[in-house]
């Protein structure tokens, strides 16, 4: 499930020394920084930070900030934050300045576990000297505000009770379909007070009562940001990795990239369920998460993100794909050879040349075996090689 796992024979002293060497003198060895920080767990990264200060009397966070820049800097500094601090900072950005980033508010608050809510609230007050409820409450309004604040302050009951689920499902029905108008307060109370496992039972019971899935009911009964927030909760209950996959897709589709979302999810979920998120991404969007990241990012920032998305010792394959009007023709490639079926000789040679050129220029991608996706656009007469999970 996780893409970043505890490092065998981890040595904080060695890593701290390597990071110092990467930043000492003229220039910066970004590859060394990426190799260390993107392949260590949060616990290990915090130990490195502590060891760095003990060895050199310097703040690793400040040294990295002075040596790096742009999106790459933001990602690397996020790796030195605890997850509650990272999420608290993102919530603060969402309500600071002109306008409100409702997508970020919903994307974080509606997916938090009870323990994460407690930790984020404590981090927010520690970092900004004000409660997160006060900060958000002054920036949103109406039933949407009531839902967000309820999610932040209510204690979800840990119990899972089948008989209670049927009764609560009936309450939901009476608050929506079973009456003229909608009792939003009842929806908010039920969604914020029950555990995700209990809500899953409630939604199943609701379908038996109504004949409709709960998402359809929310579409019919709700509107605006409240509807979007409730749909995020419902989807989180049924398939949390899919929710994050959809957030990642939204962050990368269209003009520009929402790098804050990209960094938040990959850093947050890399030790939890990023592998499952990758599977949902492929399932729903037809391409690997790493492929999308490569299309939308570049340089050291791209390399660092891909390093976190891909598992460390992953044995991979090389896939050759020819696309034409009839569909797809697949063949498997090894690093030094290409096997093809019904592919023109000149295309095979072109793929070989491009593959060798890529591995020569990007040696960090050539472990024992590497997985490439080769996209041939026959009618356009061009070839593109991209690394994927």
């Amino acid at each position: 499930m996780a893409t970043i796992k505890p490092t065998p024979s981890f040595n904080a002293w060695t890593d701290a020394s390597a990071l110092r060497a990467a930043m000492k003198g003229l220039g910066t060895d970004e590859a060394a920084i990426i190799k260390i920080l993107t392949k260590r767990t949060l616990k290990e990264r915090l130990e490195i930070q502590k060891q760095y200060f003990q060895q050199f009397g310097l703040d690793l966070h400040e040294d990295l900030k002075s040596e790096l820049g742009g999106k790459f800097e933001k990602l690397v500094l996020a790796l030195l934050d605890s997850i509650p601090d990272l999420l608290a900072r993102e919530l603060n950005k969402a309500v600071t300045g002109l306008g409100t980033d409702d997508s970020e508010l919903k994307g974080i608050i509606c997916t938090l576990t009870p323990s994460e809510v407690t930790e984020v609230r404590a981090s927010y007050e520690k970092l900004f000297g004000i409660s997160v409820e006060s900060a958000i409450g002054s920036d949103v309004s109406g039933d949407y505000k009531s839902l967000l604040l309820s999610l932040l302050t209510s204690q979800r009951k840990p119990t899972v009770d089948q008989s209670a689920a049927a009764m609560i499902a009936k309450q939901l029905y009476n608050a929506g379909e079973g009456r003229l108008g909608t009792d939003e307060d009842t929806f908010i109370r039920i969604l914020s007070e029950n555990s995700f496992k209990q809500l899953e039972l409630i939604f199943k019971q609701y379908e038996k009562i109504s004949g409709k899935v709960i998402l359809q009911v929310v579409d019919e009964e709700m509107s605006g940001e409240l509807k979007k927030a409730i749909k995020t909760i419902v989807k989180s209950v049924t398939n949390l990795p899919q929710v994050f996959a959809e957030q990642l897709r939204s962050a990368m589709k269209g003009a520009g990239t929402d790098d804050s979302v990209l960094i938040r999810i990959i850093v947050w979920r890399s030790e939890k369920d990023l592998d499952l998120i990758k599977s949902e991404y492929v399932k729903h969007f037809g391409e690997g998460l790493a492929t999308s990241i490569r299309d939308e990012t570049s340089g050291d920032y791209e390399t660092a993100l891909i390093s976190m998305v891909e598992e460390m010792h992953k044995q991979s394959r090389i896939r050759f794909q020819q696309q034409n009007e009839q569909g797809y023709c697949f063949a498997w490639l090894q690093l030094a050879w290409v096997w093809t079926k019904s592919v023109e000789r000149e295309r095979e040679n072109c793929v070989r040349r491009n593959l060798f050129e890529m591995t020569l220029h990007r040696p960090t991608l050539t472990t024992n075996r590497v997985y490439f996706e080769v996209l041939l656009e026959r009618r356009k007469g061009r070839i593109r090689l991209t690394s994927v999970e």
Side-chain angles (χ1 to χ4, degrees), residues 17-24 26-30 32-33 36 67:
S17 299
L19 287 172
R20 180 60 183 155
M23 293 182 281
K24 191 175 181 180
L26 294 176
T28 304
D29 187 351
E30 288 86 356
I33 294 171
I36 294 170
E67 293 288 332

Side-chain angles (χ1 to χ4, degrees), residues 22 39 48 72 76 102 132 149 158 168 191 194 210 224 226 241 280 284 331 377:
K39 291 302 184 185
I48 293 169
F72 179 49
V76 170
D102 291 296
V132 65
L149 297 187
I168 298 170
L191 291 172
N194 292 279
S210 168
L226 178 66
E280 290 295 327
H284 290 279
E377 299 186 50

Side-chain angles (χ1 to χ4, degrees), residues 115-266:
S115 60
E116 288 171 334
V117 168
T118 301
E119 291 168 350
V120 169
R121 289 178 66 193
S123 286
Y124 197 99
E125 191 154 0
K126 175 192 71 176
L127 293 171
F128 304 107
I130 185 176
S131 71
V132 65
E133 308 95 81
S134 298
I136 291 173
S138 62
D139 230 51
V140 295
S141 60
D143 292 320
Y144 174 51
K145 171 182 175 179
S146 298
L147 175 63
L148 294 183
L149 297 187
S150 185
L151 291 171
L152 288 169
T153 57
S154 298
Q155 293 294 321
R156 291 190 183 276
K157 302 168 186 174
T159 54
V160 179
D161 187 326
Q162 183 73 44
S163 59
M167 179 184 69
I168 298 170
K170 183 64 176 176
Q171 293 175 13
L172 271 182
Y173 180 82
N174 292 335
E177 287 186 274
R179 58 170 285 168
L180 184 63
T182 306
D183 179 0
E184 288 87 356
D185 289 342
T186 297
F187 272 84
I188 291 170
R189 175 179 55 79
I190 291 172
L191 291 172
S192 59
E193 289 183 355
N194 292 279
S195 68
F196 275 16
K197 289 185 178 180
Q198 182 69 8
L199 285 173
E200 188 173 9
L201 292 178
I202 293 168
F203 296 158
K204 288 178 181 178
Q205 290 297 319
Y206 188 97
E207 190 173 353
K208 292 179 181 179
I209 296 169
S210 168
K212 296 179 181 179
V213 296
I214 192 68
L215 279 176
Q216 181 183 351
V217 176
V218 173
D219 273 329
E220 294 171 353
E221 297 289 330
M222 306 292 176
S223 62
E225 295 301 334
L226 178 66
K227 178 172 81 170
K228 293 176 185 177
I230 291 179
K231 288 182 73 172
T232 301
I233 297 169
V234 172
K235 289 180 179 181
S236 297
V237 168
T238 55
N239 191 341
L240 185 58
Q242 181 186 335
V243 172
F244 289 118
E246 290 173 353
Q247 289 183 26
L248 286 167
R249 187 64 172 185
S250 295
M252 291 186 283
K253 75 176 182 180
T257 303
D258 191 337
D259 295 288
S260 292
V261 173
L262 199 55
I263 292 170
R264 166 175 60 83
I265 295 176
I266 290 177

